[in-house]
Amino acid sequence: MPKMAILTFKWNFERSLNCVVFLLFCLSCLHASEKEIQHVDGTLKYIVETDWLPVHLKDPSKKAAVFYVAYHVPSVKPRPVTFCFNGGPGSASVWIHMAGVGPRSVKTPVLQDFRLPIQVADNPFTLLSVTDLVFVDAVYTGFSRPEPPTPAADFFSYNADIDCLSNFIDSFIQTHNLGEVPLYLLGCSYGTLRVAGLADALLNTYHHKVSGLIMLSALLNFQSLTAAYQQNDSPYPLLIPTFAVASWYHSIGDSRNYTEKEWMDKATAWAAEKYLPALMQGDSLSREERSVIAQEMSAIVGIDKELIELRNLRLDTNYYIKELLRKENRTIGRFDIRYKGIDSDVNRTAGVEADPSYIVMGTIAAGFQDYLKNELHFEVPTTPEYFFLGKASSWHYVNNGLHFLCLNKKVSTLMERLPEMKIFVGSGIYDLATPYRVIQNDFSHLNLSQAQLQNRFILQLYEGGHMFYTDSKIQEKLYQDVKQLY
């Protein structure tokens, strides 16, 4: 039986003057074509649906249309459905869709320049073999837009984002008659905070039980991630192991006398046993003790002892990516420490103009445009916003009165209330955006016993960066690992 790809468009957008105007269409375009992909488990036939769904916030006057691409494999038995999100906040779902778990994938060779022609090919390790997939663009990402006169900023907060997207998921479940199928949520980066909040909202507001969470490049607690001198010391020890991986990868000092894992383990032990106690002493740490810690830290992370002492033993990510290869007039990537860029401003003490590891993103976005036009025959209705982090600078993160967005308690409560729910966490060891020790730390502070976590929580490390799933070799391992949840 040939696979049918059905594309239904109910919402469209036009540009008029400088405004995006909403127009509602009912089945304004219907297209069907035969398609199929080759999967590692055999030929896979499916239906793809591309559409918008109207959504609203708790205030029903605040409306938007959320764009999605959904894949369904016809089956006699009900199949699980997984809703997939990237993060940012301010990022469309294009990255996990077209370079991760979707059925078609943009070829993105690791650590290489990306040139035309861009190749879109079958993804032999798509999760579509075990679950239906719905890739969702949050409001003002991709082709999702607020309905005028609702301003986009009304959706730029943790709570509004959860309200909007939980409403979307409930609407999708109702319109597609999926009330009895197992429900899973997949999130990347900030999307992991999103899916944790969505699982809570779906349970409490819409009475949908989530069977599993897939969290890639994850975090639960911004306090574990956001280092701030004289304000928040928590992240500094958690950054050390990834700094050590960077020094090892770029052959700094004595690091290459060890294997990568040995160096990671050495750095992790030192950070917990020596560095953390030193930070806790604060100003009572003696000058001699401070000198010893600075020397040991220099050997592990590859930054000169004098600079470490000048920064009072505290190195943050923006400083580190600028400083590690300064003598070579190079910077390293935040999304992936293996990438090197040219330092365009040697006088700047921290941060870079452009992350050299962002290069993969343009390739994936271009591949998605090609996929929409040439395979799905989708006429782009408005200029897409694939990544607009800068426009979300006013994003409101505060939840329940906490200064730091922290979902540890929410996740532990979910695991208690949903005893069948499982969680998969995947992290890249070359990622400085969400370092792997951050999520290890967060999940060790859920106030749950080992018995409660046994067989319900899987944590895997991968030899990749923040978007480790773009590596075809990792895609295969990720597929085999995540299959365990279904």
Side-chain angles (χ1 to χ4, degrees), residues 335-347:
F335 266 26
D336 192 324
I337 57 93
R338 296 174 293 178
Y339 285 83
K340 294 197 293 187
I342 297 175
D343 194 344
S344 60
D345 185 357
V346 295
N347 294 318

Side-chain angles (χ1 to χ4, degrees), residues 208-230:
H208 298 304
K209 295 181 179 180
V210 173
S211 298
L213 300 178
I214 301 161
M215 310 175 81
L216 309 180
S217 302
L219 71 154
L220 290 180
N221 183 358
F222 265 100
Q223 189 169 11
S224 303
L225 181 69
T226 312
Y229 183 59
Q230 293 186 313

Side-chain angles (χ1 to χ4, degrees), residues 87-122:
S91 177
S93 63
V94 58
W95 324 114
I96 191 63
H97 181 183
M98 293 302 298
V101 302
R104 296 282 284 166
S105 183
V106 179
K107 297 299 182 183
T108 53
V110 178
L111 300 177
Q112 295 184 24
D113 292 335
F114 303 108
R115 298 184 175 92
L116 296 174
I118 292 171
Q119 294 183 325
V120 179
D122 291 353

Side-chain angles (χ1 to χ4, degrees), residues 371-391:
Y371 174 66
L372 288 175
K373 178 180 179 181
N374 296 320
E375 294 192 31
L376 302 187
H377 304 284
F378 173 74
E379 294 299 326
V380 177
T382 187
T383 302
E385 290 281 0
Y386 291 130
F387 192 69
F388 78 110
L389 187 61
K391 296 181 181 179

Side-chain angles (χ1 to χ4, degrees), residues 256-392:
R256 281 305 182 104
N257 293 331
Y258 299 79
T259 67
E260 186 175 42
K261 186 178 186 307
E262 287 172 344
W263 195 245
M264 290 167 61
D265 292 345
K266 178 181 174 68
T268 301
W270 179 83
E273 297 166 8
K274 293 190 176 182
Y275 183 48
L276 178 59
L279 290 183
M280 293 179 68
Q281 292 185 54
D283 295 337
S284 65
L285 191 69
S286 70
R287 179 176 298 178
E288 292 76 16
E289 291 171 320
R290 187 182 305 274
S291 178
V292 170
I293 291 295
Q295 183 61 52
E296 293 175 345
M297 187 173 176
S298 174
I300 289 173
V301 304
I303 300 294
D304 290 345
K305 174 190 174 185
E306 293 74 20
L307 295 176
I308 293 172
E309 289 187 296
L310 185 64
R311 296 185 68 85
N312 199 18
L313 308 181
R314 290 158 175 84
L315 299 178
D316 60 43
T317 297
N318 282 335
Y319 180 79
Y320 188 82
I321 62 177
K322 175 81 171 179
E323 194 61 43
L324 181 67
L325 301 181
R326 179 183 284 273
K327 294 173 184 178
E328 301 177 23
N329 196 34
R330 296 282 182 170
T331 61
I332 64 170
R334 175 174 168 266
F335 266 26
D336 192 324
I337 57 93
R338 296 174 293 178
Y339 285 83
K340 294 197 293 187
I342 297 175
D343 194 344
S344 60
D345 185 357
V346 295
N347 294 318
R348 183 164 30 194
T349 59
V352 294
E353 286 184 348
D355 186 331
S357 54
Y358 279 10
I359 188 172
V360 67
M361 299 175 75
T363 303
I364 298 168
F368 184 53
Q369 293 283 89
D370 180 78
Y371 174 66
L372 288 175
K373 178 180 179 181
N374 296 320
E375 294 192 31
L376 302 187
H377 304 284
F378 173 74
E379 294 299 326
V380 177
T382 187
T383 302
E385 290 281 0
Y386 291 130
F387 192 69
F388 78 110
L389 187 61
K391 296 181 181 179

Side-chain angles (χ1 to χ4, degrees), residues 36-74:
E36 67 180 26
I37 66 163
Q38 297 304 312
H39 189 267
V40 67
D41 295 327
T43 301
L44 193 60
K45 301 178 180 182
Y46 58 88
I47 296 169
V48 56
E49 176 187 330
T50 305
D51 207 347
W52 284 264
L53 272 182
V55 298
H56 61 78
L57 301 180
K58 286 183 177 179
D59 178 351
S61 68
K62 306 293 186 180
K63 300 178 181 179
V66 170
F67 177 80
Y68 67 89
V69 181
Y71 297 92
H72 167 64
V73 173

Side-chain angles (χ1 to χ4, degrees), residues 68-71 81-85 132-136 168 172 178:
Y68 67 89
V69 181
Y71 297 92
V81 60
T82 303
F83 292 87
C84 305
F85 305 87
D132 289 352
L133 297 169
V134 185
F135 296 94
V136 188
F168 168 86
F172 191 95
L178 300 176

